[in-house]
Amino acid sequence: MSHISPDPEPERTPGLEPGGGVPPGETPPAESSLPEAGPQETHNPPKGWSKAPLALIIVLVVLIAAFFLAYALVLML
C-alpha cells in the first residue's frame, strides 16, 4: 500500500491563489483520506455473539407479553 499525502499541492490545485488562499466564490479543496491513520486490525470477526443476545431479547419480550396477556385475561374474568 502506498502512502498518500493528505496535503494538497498548491501548484497543481485549481482555484487557489498564490500563497494557498481561496478566491471568493471558489470551493476550497477537500481533504483527502488517511488510509494509514489507524491501528492495523488483525482480529475483526464478521459474525460473533449477536445471535444469543438477540434470542434472549426475543424470549424476554415474549414472556413479558404473555404475562400482560394473562394479567388482562384474569382481570376480565
Side-chain angles (χ1 to χ4, degrees):
M1 186 179 269
S2 64
H3 178 71
I4 301 170
S5 174
D7 298 324
E9 295 182 25
E11 301 86 34
R12 295 179 17 185
T13 304
L16 291 181
E17 294 178 337
V22 179
E26 188 73 35
T27 304
E31 295 181 19
S32 62
S33 65
L34 299 174
E36 300 171 5
Q40 182 179 1
E41 293 186 26
T42 57
H43 178 69
N44 190 10
K47 295 182 180 179
W49 55 271
S50 63
K51 289 182 182 179
L54 183 61
L56 289 174
I57 290 171
I58 290 172
V59 167
L60 185 63
V61 167
V62 168
L63 287 175
I64 291 172
F67 170 77
F68 283 114
L69 180 64
Y71 187 71
L73 289 174
V74 168
L75 288 178
M76 290 174 42
L77 295 179

